Amino acid sequence: MTAPFSRYVALGDSFTEGVGDVLPDGRIRGWADFVALGLQASAGEPIGYANLAIRGRKLGPIIAEQLEPALALNPDLLTFNGGGNDIMRPRVAIGWVVDETVKLVHRALEQPGLHVVVLAGANPSRHLPMGALMQKRGDQLADAVLTALKPTPVTLVDNWADETLADIRYWSVDKLHLNALGHARVASNVLTALGVAVPEEWGVEEVAAAGSGSRSRNTSAYYREFVLPWIGRRVTGRSSGDGREAKRPTLLPVD
């Protein structure tokens, strides 16, 4: 069987890096890794996969640091998600995020033989402090980006509108990043949009059919462990990705 794609590169921030899906040996997995596994299973032969995403990156640095190195790898499939860290800042220009995303897509489409997938991130807003503001901004961003890109030959995956993903069962303890179940569902959404079979052993549909989890409470311990450190980084101009490099900067066979 011929692989639909044989050289896959992922761009983005913590969502694409896979933060929240931690393997027993401490490695970070995530939905892009699942997508690569699904593509390889469909192909029945090894494919190359690189992941240039770094947690904490706003859209500007994603474009400046990741786009051209990704294109230099000559992929035939590129996935992109960005802007989530921008909408979490006190001030954000949604129009600028949309315009820069469209520019990135058009630059990528200049690459012969490259198919581009643009994802809206999953929606954590119902579980977070000040979630209403994130919901409003996320709605605006997802709608504007997907609308702007509809005339282009890209595959659009709207995880933000996936109500199943909003359930607390799909989120890690920090409630901002997906857990393994959430990342597997996002990968399922991507593979389905590409017309690639989702491996049955992932159990994505069985998990979704199992019913919703109870709504969680944000305790004082949660604020101490997750919210206050996040505020501290914002105040001091630091990022969780400072000093980090991409976990998979070159095309390697899927493990």
Side-chain angles (χ1 to χ4, degrees), residues 10-31:
L11 309 183
D13 52 29
S14 60
F15 174 64
T16 301
E17 183 185 345
V19 174
D21 182 8
V22 184
L23 296 172
D25 63 4
R27 288 183 299 161
I28 300 297
R29 184 173 47 187
W31 66 263

Side-chain angles (χ1 to χ4, degrees), residues 126-129 168 173-175 214-223 226:
R126 70 176 59 173
H127 311 298
L128 296 175
I168 190 62
V173 291
D174 69 4
K175 304 180 186 179
S214 58
R215 190 178 181 90
S216 64
R217 294 177 60 248
N218 291 329
T219 63
S220 58
Y222 171 78
Y223 277 88
F226 299 109

Side-chain angles (χ1 to χ4, degrees), residues 44-65:
E45 60 188 26
I47 70 167
Y49 163 53
N51 190 323
L52 307 186
I54 298 177
R55 65 192 68 181
R57 290 297 194 263
K58 295 169 67 177
L59 180 59
I62 291 174
I63 296 172
E65 299 169 4

